Amino acid sequence: MTETPDPGPAELKTSAAKRPIWSRLSIIWIVPLLALVVTLGVAWKSFADRGELIHIDFKDATGVEVGTPLKFRDVQVGKVESVGFTSDLTQVRLGVRVDNDVAPYVDNDAKFWLVRPEVSARGIENLGTVLSGTYLEGFWTNKPSGARTQFTGLERPPLSPDPSKGTIIELRAQDAGGIVDGAPILYHGITVGHLQNLRLNKDGSGVIVDAFIEAPHNKLLTTQTRFWNTSGFSVKFDTSGLSLDVRSLATLVQGGVEFDTFTSGGDVVKNQDTFRLYDSQDVAKNSVFESDQVDPPRYTLLFDDPVQGLEVGSKVQVRGVEAGEVTALAIKVSTDSTGQSYAQQQVTIALSPDRLGLARDSDEKQTTQFIESQVVNGLRARIASVGLLGGTKIIELTDVPDQPNEKMNLDAKPFPTIPTAPPTANDLSQSAKGVFNRIEGLPIEKLMNSAIRTLDSISAVAENENTRKVPEELSGLLNQLRSFATDLNDKGAADKTVAALDGVTDAASSVLEEIDGLHETLASADKAAQAIADMPLGDIGDKIDTILADINGLLNKPGTQDLPQSLNQTLEQTAAILEQLRKAGAADKLNQTLAATQDAAASVSKAADRLPELTQRLDTLVAQAQGLVSTYGQGSNFSNETLTTLRELRRSITDIGAVARMIERNPRAFILGR
Amino acid sequence: MGRHIAEIEALTATDAGLIGCTRCGRVWPHAHVECERCGARLHRVDRHGLQAVWAWWLAGLIFYIPANVFPMLVTDTFGSLQKNTIVGGALELWKHHNYGVAAIVFVASIMIPIGKFIAVAYLAIIVGNEKRKGGHPHLLLLEVVEFIGRWSMIDVFVVAILSALVQLGYVASIHPGPAAASFALSVAFTMLSAQSFDPRLIWRGTKE
Amino acid sequence: MARVPNPDLGDLRGLIACPRCDLLHHTQQLSDGERAKCARCGSLLIWPRTGAFLHVVAFSFTGMILMIGAIFFPFLKISAQGLSHESSIFGVAMAFSDGWIAPLALAVLAMIVALPVFRFAALIYTLWPLANGRPAYRHSTTVFRLVEELQPWAMAEIFIIGTAVALVKVAGLASVSLGPAFWAFCVLIIVIALKNSFMSNWTIWDAISQK
């Protein structure tokens, strides 16, 4: 055994006391620490203030780059942080940092668009951006609701970003007609808004423009409000001369739209409501299409005959009721079964369902169904003329008898077709014949004959011995009558009467000469003749009959039997005068005069403003005739009666005038009866 | 120099047959080519090193010419470009009666660079001359050249800052002209030239 | 300082040759705050300070932190008539990025950012072990020599003066607001100046070489 030392307690391993770490650290470390704290502080602050990141997609982000500011009410509230693409690369995606103080308001109602310089007829807009470059503008309301971070930018700046400042509606028209973006909206000549965002509709058949009407003027709008285009200027050349209408210089340059509410009872207009934009104020007032009928059902008519005088805007009547208008005219070339091509006139019409008797909100399908059923029953489209002189062509949808069975072609493009019928026959000879037939049918000849017959019988009575025993007072009357007759003879009364009638005729024919397009008038004249027949001409004849009856009555009185010879002679003379009148062709002349008057009336009805003049002219003629007759002796029976007759005639002329006016106001009523 | 020390006739490293490191000051036996402490190359005090000075000097001078001929700044104000050379800029300021600024620009951008060339050339010529008097003014001159040489880079930085900052689109924008690069190179070469100058030559006549 | 008529060439370690005038001196142990200058040309040769290495390391850390802030924070912003534009330090260097002068952008970036950062990092690398009384890391001599050689090319302080000049020029044209980066840079050059005041080359070289 080796000696082992006693295992005594081991010595502890000790080390020098470690100085605490803080005492080993030099004070100098405060410097980097301070720098770190400050730097991190600044970094934290800028991180905390950096704002919310949102993404906005744009189709076109010309001029946008990192750092482009986002502005709200022209104050910068953020900036573009990244410019990238959407995953499908079709759009530019902008990452935008929005300042914290506005970030909560950037929500569902937020809109974003790019502001760029725009050069237009009105000048340069957003001039500032020429200098500053494109910037992003946003608008959102002051009510936070449903925060979002993904937005789609508007392609164009909105009309007015703030919806509380007015009403935005949509106007639709066939063509822009000189309107440009930014054109003013006028109400009684005052600018109350402007147009923007002029664009084609989806199928390119018309244009759409947004209209912003500023508050409080937006209260003027109702669903009955009608808008019309006041762009450019209009030159009107009519009987009152040449007139030039320019609403304002601004509208001349950039176009414009005016509106007014012609009928009451409309509802409140909401944002994005759609209105029809009429071509002119007249059209707006008179159009059969309501403001909200922006896209009425349309149909195609194919005519084999040349269509002259028909134009876009021409009226369409359905069974006499104005129910639409022509919207397009074109030539359609088709090929028939033998391979020969032929041209047809293609007329596109638009129809207003409510004028057809359908519900106002009927859609195209319902309207088409209705028309289709009517076509089966013989409804055809044809070209007709209206107006007494104008030769205004319209499209008439009416039941035409004896037509081959046809159906609507519902599959035709672009619109269903309605079968057509040839236009109504309207040739000159036919019309003229009709007119003269009617005038010949007037009871003037009969009237004259009966007058002569009566006078014959008066003669017979006068030759009777008994008439010589006429009372004293009657003798005086007869003396007067004799002197009247003498006067008549002396002054060539017959000739004068004839001359007077000639005057009337000349006047009428001169009126006729003034009027062009007699040919076109005749169709109307035919109808007018019908009216003439209804006029109180018969009454005149009756009146004369009454006079003669009165004379007869006088002669048949017991005392009359004793009429002196002188009276007999007088009566004979009277009869001779009348005979002379007849021989001078008075009846014919009258016929002609009536025809002339009729034409004159037609021309009167066409040119309403010429009406007073014409009526006056006729009046003058009558007055002349009256004056002529009155020269033959005041108070004489004949004279009085003749004057009465002439007064009647004058009243008749006034009636003609009234009728003519009525015709002018409403030809339909004239054609169909009052 | 706080206290003026008259020409002290003392032992230099070269006189002692040693070679001193210009970087760390350590001295080594004459034969050493590299400082063992800091790894820098050891240079003998002779006029041979002046070749590098002249080479950099010439390069700096060459680049100083385009730096003055070409525009330093291109200012685009409302679409009209204005190109300013260094001299042109100073003259422009003078014409607009900004005599103070014009003087500063003239001194800082024209006189100082030219002065540097002259100073370096003067020192490079004079150091070999045994008859030269006083090392202190020459060392001071060299130190000034070295110091100002770096600070000449200010012009380049000013161009950079202005170009980066004044980017207000159509209203005003400033772009650097080609002279900025020439000027920067010229400054860099002048700095290298001054650095290549061995100040020990000032204190010691060369005797080859 | 005594003259050295017969230097003991055997102990070269105790000698220092003035880099400016080649005058040979004996080195001596200096106490804190003392400064040793060349006897002939007056160049500062040795200026040891207590905890100098630690201070340099601390200032280098500070400088790096500030530089990071200066790079990422907004530097300057000008606004005139509603238009504004701001730039970072990086943006300033990139002013030269167009066309054939693009290398200048790199040079500027190096001078104002890269080189100062490198020098800070290198100083930390070199001095951190020394400050803790440990031997220097490998390649410390090369790294510190680079620190010394690149010193003239690190121009952070010149850059900030350039900024001041540019501000004076722009001031009349537009209003300029200074961003955090500007202030970081200002502090940075103070830190650099402080750091330099603690860096006695001889002392550092001495410490590095004492393995």
Side-chain angles (χ1 to χ4, degrees):
Chain A
M1 276 231 73
T2 54
E3 196 180 291
T4 53
D6 270 349
E11 285 295 315
L12 279 171
K13 268 190 169 174
T14 57
S15 60
K18 260 195 173 172
R19 284 159 51 212
I21 193 159
W22 56 87
S23 68
R24 282 186 292 149
L25 275 180
S26 166
I27 192 83
I28 191 65
W29 289 108
I30 286 186
V31 175
L33 195 69
L34 210 66
L36 192 65
V37 167
V38 171
T39 306
L40 286 180
V42 172
W44 167 250
K45 192 175 182 309
S46 55
F47 177 79
D49 289 349
R50 80 197 192 288
E52 291 284 323
L53 180 67
I54 59 168
H55 287 101
I56 310 168
D57 294 348
F58 280 97
K59 276 214 177 87
D60 163 35
T62 313
V64 176
E65 52 192 33
V66 172
T68 297
L70 165 68
K71 294 187 178 182
F72 172 65
R73 297 188 191 276
D74 269 352
V75 174
Q76 182 169 348
V77 294
K79 60 183 178 184
V80 174
E81 201 175 73
S82 64
V83 180
F85 293 97
T86 51
S87 52
D88 57 358
L89 300 182
T90 56
Q91 293 198 307
V92 178
R93 175 163 291 179
L94 304 179
V96 181
R97 279 279 172 208
V98 183
D99 290 356
N100 278 332
D101 47 351
V102 295
Y105 302 101
V106 181
D107 47 25
N108 286 320
D109 60 11
K111 291 190 275 271
F112 298 92
W113 62 95
L114 292 170
V115 181
R116 303 186 178 112
E118 269 175 53
V119 182
S120 68
R122 285 163 294 140
I124 303 171
E125 278 184 63
N126 307 325
L127 189 61
T129 58
V130 174
L131 307 178
S132 66
T134 305
Y135 63 87
L136 259 176
E137 175 111 36
F139 185 81
W140 41 84
T141 57
N142 56 1
K143 288 189 258 334
S145 66
R148 264 172 70 183
T149 56
Q150 180 62 53
F151 299 91
T152 302
L154 303 178
E155 279 176 58
R156 292 154 173 270
L159 273 177
S160 168
D162 192 347
S164 65
K165 287 184 177 160
T167 304
I168 297 172
I169 55 165
E170 215 172 77
L171 298 180
R172 285 168 189 250
Q174 281 266 293
D175 68 72
I179 294 173
V180 298
D181 268 8
I185 298 168
L186 306 172
Y187 180 76
H188 293 305
I190 293 171
T191 303
V192 296
H194 56 277
L195 302 174
Q196 210 167 343
N197 224 345
L198 184 64
R199 59 200 185 271
L200 283 175
N201 64 8
K202 276 196 185 117
D203 60 358
S205 63
V207 294
I208 304 174
V209 65
D210 290 333
F212 179 75
I213 292 110
E214 296 155 15
H217 307 295
N218 58 348
K219 291 198 180 71
L220 297 166
L221 296 177
T222 73
T223 49
Q224 294 286 333
T225 300
R226 291 189 173 195
F227 291 80
W228 65 91
N229 197 335
T230 59
S231 296
F233 54 89
S234 65
V235 180
K236 219 183 272 178
F237 183 71
D238 59 14
T239 46
S240 60
L242 186 71
S243 70
L244 176 70
D245 184 26
V246 183
R247 285 306 288 185
S248 74
L249 203 59
T251 59
L252 186 65
V253 176
Q254 56 184 318
V257 162
E258 191 157 358
F259 71 88
D260 205 343
T261 309
F262 301 111
T263 49
S264 56
D267 298 327
V268 177
V269 172
K270 297 182 295 293
N271 276 331
Q272 306 303 336
D273 274 1
T274 307
F275 285 82
R276 172 180 270 262
L277 178 60
Y278 300 95
D279 288 343
S280 70
Q281 184 171 13
D282 286 345
V283 175
K285 263 184 189 164
N286 301 321
S287 175
V288 297
F289 296 103
E290 299 292 340
S291 291
D292 56 351
Q293 288 177 322
V294 290
D295 195 18
R298 278 184 276 182
Y299 301 96
T300 302
L301 314 175
L302 292 169
F303 291 100
D304 295 329
D305 310 297
V307 180
Q308 266 181 341
L310 205 59
E311 53 195 28
V312 171
S314 290
K315 292 177 169 112
V316 175
Q317 291 184 349
V318 177
R319 297 206 175 98
V321 180
E322 196 184 327
E325 63 182 30
V326 173
T327 60
L329 294 168
I331 299 285
K332 185 185 181 185
V333 178
S334 315
T335 310
D336 63 13
S337 51
T338 62
Q340 264 191 322
S341 58
Y342 61 100
Q344 281 179 304
Q345 301 265 353
Q346 180 178 301
V347 178
T348 309
I349 59 166
L351 293 176
S352 168
D354 61 336
R355 293 290 181 111
L356 295 174
L358 300 172
R360 192 176 146 148
D361 54 353
S362 298
D363 60 13
E364 198 170 328
K365 201 177 153 194
Q366 288 168 302
T367 312
T368 306
Q369 270 174 0
F370 171 78
I371 303 270
E372 197 181 5
S373 65
Q374 296 304 304
V375 166
V376 171
N377 293 338
L379 188 82
R380 294 288 184 274
R382 66 180 180 191
I383 295 162
S385 308
V386 289
L388 291 173
L389 268 194
T392 310
K393 298 282 188 191
I394 63 159
I395 297 288
E396 200 177 36
L397 263 67
T398 188
D399 298 309
V400 181
D402 310 325
Q403 289 294 315
N405 281 337
E406 274 185 275
K407 274 187 186 165
M408 283 181 74
N409 182 356
L410 299 178
D411 302 323
K413 293 288 169 202
F415 309 110
T417 56
I418 299 174
T420 58
T424 48
N426 265 333
D427 66 289
L428 177 71
S429 59
Q430 216 172 7
S431 307
K433 213 167 122 188
V435 171
F436 291 117
N437 281 344
R438 285 182 191 283
I439 291 174
E440 268 171 36
L442 288 175
I444 291 169
E445 201 79 25
K446 198 176 109 196
L447 175 78
M448 292 308 245
N449 286 339
S450 86
I452 291 159
R453 258 201 323 278
T454 314
L455 286 168
D456 282 348
S457 66
I458 292 172
S459 285
V461 171
E463 273 167 293
N464 194 303
E465 278 296 314
N466 295 333
T467 49
R468 295 176 186 185
K469 301 166 190 168
V470 78
E472 201 59 33
E473 63 269 36
L474 188 61
S475 164
L477 175 68
L478 283 169
N479 280 338
Q480 281 182 349
L481 196 57
R482 182 169 25 196
S483 66
F484 167 62
T486 315
D487 279 355
L488 271 176
N489 267 346
D490 287 354
K491 296 178 180 171
D495 291 345
K496 286 205 174 169
T497 312
V498 170
L501 286 168
D502 277 343
V504 174
T505 313
D506 288 349
S509 55
S510 70
V511 168
L512 276 179
E513 277 161 17
E514 277 182 43
I515 301 155
D516 285 335
L518 176 64
H519 167 72
E520 287 160 12
T521 319
L522 283 166
S524 345
D526 193 17
K527 289 164 192 144
Q530 178 63 47
I532 296 287
D534 296 334
M535 279 186 239
L537 278 173
D539 291 352
I540 303 170
D542 291 343
K543 280 265 160 59
I544 299 175
D545 277 347
T546 317
I547 301 162
L548 290 169
D550 283 350
I551 298 174
N552 264 346
L554 173 74
L555 292 172
N556 289 334
K557 271 184 189 168
T560 322
Q561 303 285 327
D562 305 317
L563 276 172
Q565 182 61 37
S566 55
L567 182 60
N568 190 19
Q569 285 170 356
T570 309
L571 287 168
E572 270 174 6
Q573 281 170 347
T574 309
I577 292 162
L578 286 168
E579 186 65 26
Q580 228 173 335
L581 278 171
R582 198 162 70 112
K583 276 184 182 158
D588 287 344
K589 292 272 182 193
L590 189 57
N591 275 351
Q592 284 170 21
T593 308
L594 281 168
T597 309
Q598 145 69 12
D599 286 326
S603 63
V604 164
S605 69
K606 176 57 189 168
D609 49 345
R610 217 190 289 170
L611 191 65
E613 185 205 328
L614 280 168
T615 320
Q616 200 181 359
R617 204 155 163 186
L618 289 167
D619 219 58
T620 315
L621 287 170
V622 173
Q624 276 176 1
Q626 231 168 358
L628 173 81
V629 171
S630 63
T631 52
Y632 296 122
Q634 286 289 336
S636 76
N637 204 3
F638 181 83
S639 162
N640 279 345
E641 291 297 344
T642 314
L643 283 175
T644 312
T645 310
L646 284 169
R647 266 196 294 275
E648 288 287 341
L649 184 59
R650 193 183 232 178
R651 201 176 302 143
S652 302
I653 287 162
T654 317
D655 276 358
I656 292 169
V659 168
R661 271 193 297 278
M662 193 267 292
I663 290 165
E664 176 59 22
R665 269 202 309 277
N666 198 343
R668 191 184 66 232
F670 169 62
I671 292 162
L672 298 176
R674 299 180 202 195
Chain B
M1 305 293 114
R3 56 200 159 126
H4 178 77
I5 306 163
E7 297 292 311
I8 297 170
E9 281 307 316
L11 186 67
T12 62
T14 314
D15 292 337
L18 300 170
I19 185 162
C21 174
T22 48
R23 182 139 315 280
C24 68
R26 185 84 155 82
V27 286
W28 300 100
H30 187 73
H32 264 66
V33 273
E34 194 178 77
C35 175
E36 282 174 22
R37 183 162 70 169
C38 68
R41 260 180 69 85
L42 297 173
H43 299 284
R44 238 165 283 287
V45 185
D46 56 31
R47 286 184 59 91
H48 198 67
L50 287 176
Q51 283 183 25
V53 174
W54 282 114
W56 290 125
W57 182 87
L58 193 65
L61 191 66
I62 287 167
F63 275 103
Y64 188 67
I65 294 163
N68 278 285
V69 171
F70 289 117
M72 189 81 163
L73 277 180
V74 180
T75 313
D76 181 350
T77 317
F78 295 109
S80 68
L81 288 179
Q82 196 192 353
K83 297 180 175 181
N84 287 111
T85 58
I86 296 170
V87 184
L91 286 177
E92 187 100 338
L93 286 165
W94 190 265
K95 263 188 238 164
H96 288 85
H97 309 291
N98 282 328
Y99 301 117
V101 185
I104 290 169
V105 171
F106 186 75
V107 169
S109 303
I110 298 160
M111 282 183 68
I112 288 178
I114 291 174
K116 275 191 309 187
F117 288 116
I118 292 170
V120 172
Y122 168 74
L123 286 172
I125 291 164
I126 208 99
V127 284
N129 194 336
E130 290 285 348
K131 281 182 268 174
R132 89 267 178 272
K133 278 190 176 173
H136 284 294
H138 293 152
L139 183 65
L140 185 63
L141 187 63
L142 181 67
E143 280 177 347
V144 166
V145 166
E146 275 187 303
F147 180 78
I148 284 180
R150 294 178 71 219
W151 287 89
S152 287
M153 208 56 108
I154 283 182
D155 270 1
V156 177
F157 291 143
V158 167
V159 169
I161 292 163
L162 288 179
S163 307
L165 204 54
V166 184
Q167 290 295 338
L168 300 179
Y170 191 66
V171 174
S173 59
I174 294 179
H175 306 282
S182 318
F183 192 81
L185 279 173
S186 175
V187 171
F189 289 143
T190 322
M191 280 172 70
L192 287 169
S193 175
Q195 279 173 31
S196 307
F197 195 93
D198 191 342
R200 293 175 300 182
L201 280 171
I202 292 169
W203 301 96
R204 184 191 154 71
T206 49
K207 310 172 189 152
E208 288 85 277
Chain C
M1 304 241 169
R3 286 168 58 181
V4 189
N6 289 302
D8 179 3
L9 300 179
D11 187 12
L12 294 175
R13 192 174 279 242
L15 293 174
I16 179 168
C18 173
R20 287 297 193 191
C21 66
D22 208 25
L23 195 68
L24 214 51
H25 303 78
H26 278 293
T27 56
Q28 6 176 320
Q29 216 42 53
L30 295 173
S31 56
D32 181 33
E34 279 188 304
R35 294 144 75 89
K37 288 182 178 175
C38 171
R40 178 159 64 174
C41 68
S43 305
L44 203 55
L45 296 177
I46 310 169
W47 62 103
R49 288 171 78 165
T50 316
F53 295 169
L54 197 61
H55 280 65
V56 170
V57 170
F59 283 130
S60 296
F61 267 119
T62 312
M64 283 185 89
I65 291 163
L66 289 169
M67 188 61 95
I68 288 164
I71 293 168
F72 291 108
F73 294 152
F75 181 53
L76 293 173
K77 179 177 180 176
I78 63 163
S79 43
Q81 283 126 42
L83 307 175
S84 68
H85 190 256
E86 65 175 33
S87 180
S88 63
I89 300 272
F90 190 73
V92 169
M94 284 303 112
F96 292 122
S97 62
D98 282 340
W100 58 270
I101 57 171
L104 187 56
L106 284 180
V108 169
L109 205 62
M111 287 189 284
I112 61 180
V113 177
L115 290 182
V117 167
F118 171 78
R119 293 187 75 232
F120 290 138
L123 281 172
I124 291 165
Y125 177 83
T126 328
L127 300 179
W128 178 250
L130 301 180
N132 288 308
R134 287 197 290 270
Y137 295 143
R138 287 176 65 197
H139 307 303
S140 279
T141 48
T142 319
V143 169
F144 189 69
R145 189 161 48 85
L146 274 173
V147 167
E148 291 279 279
E149 280 172 1
L150 292 174
Q151 198 251 328
W153 302 101
M155 299 185 176
E157 73 277 23
I158 295 167
F159 177 71
I160 210 72
I161 300 299
T163 307
V165 173
L167 289 185
V168 170
K169 284 191 173 181
V170 171
L173 193 93
S175 63
V176 184
S177 54
L178 306 168
F182 177 80
W183 300 114
F185 229 93
C186 287
V187 176
L188 185 72
I189 59 163
I190 294 170
V191 168
I192 290 170
L194 283 170
K195 181 207 74 184
N196 287 345
S197 75
F198 281 95
M199 269 178 61
S200 166
N201 290 4
W202 174 267
T203 322
I204 294 169
W205 282 121
D206 216 27
I208 292 172
S209 59
Q210 279 165 9
K211 303 275 161 97

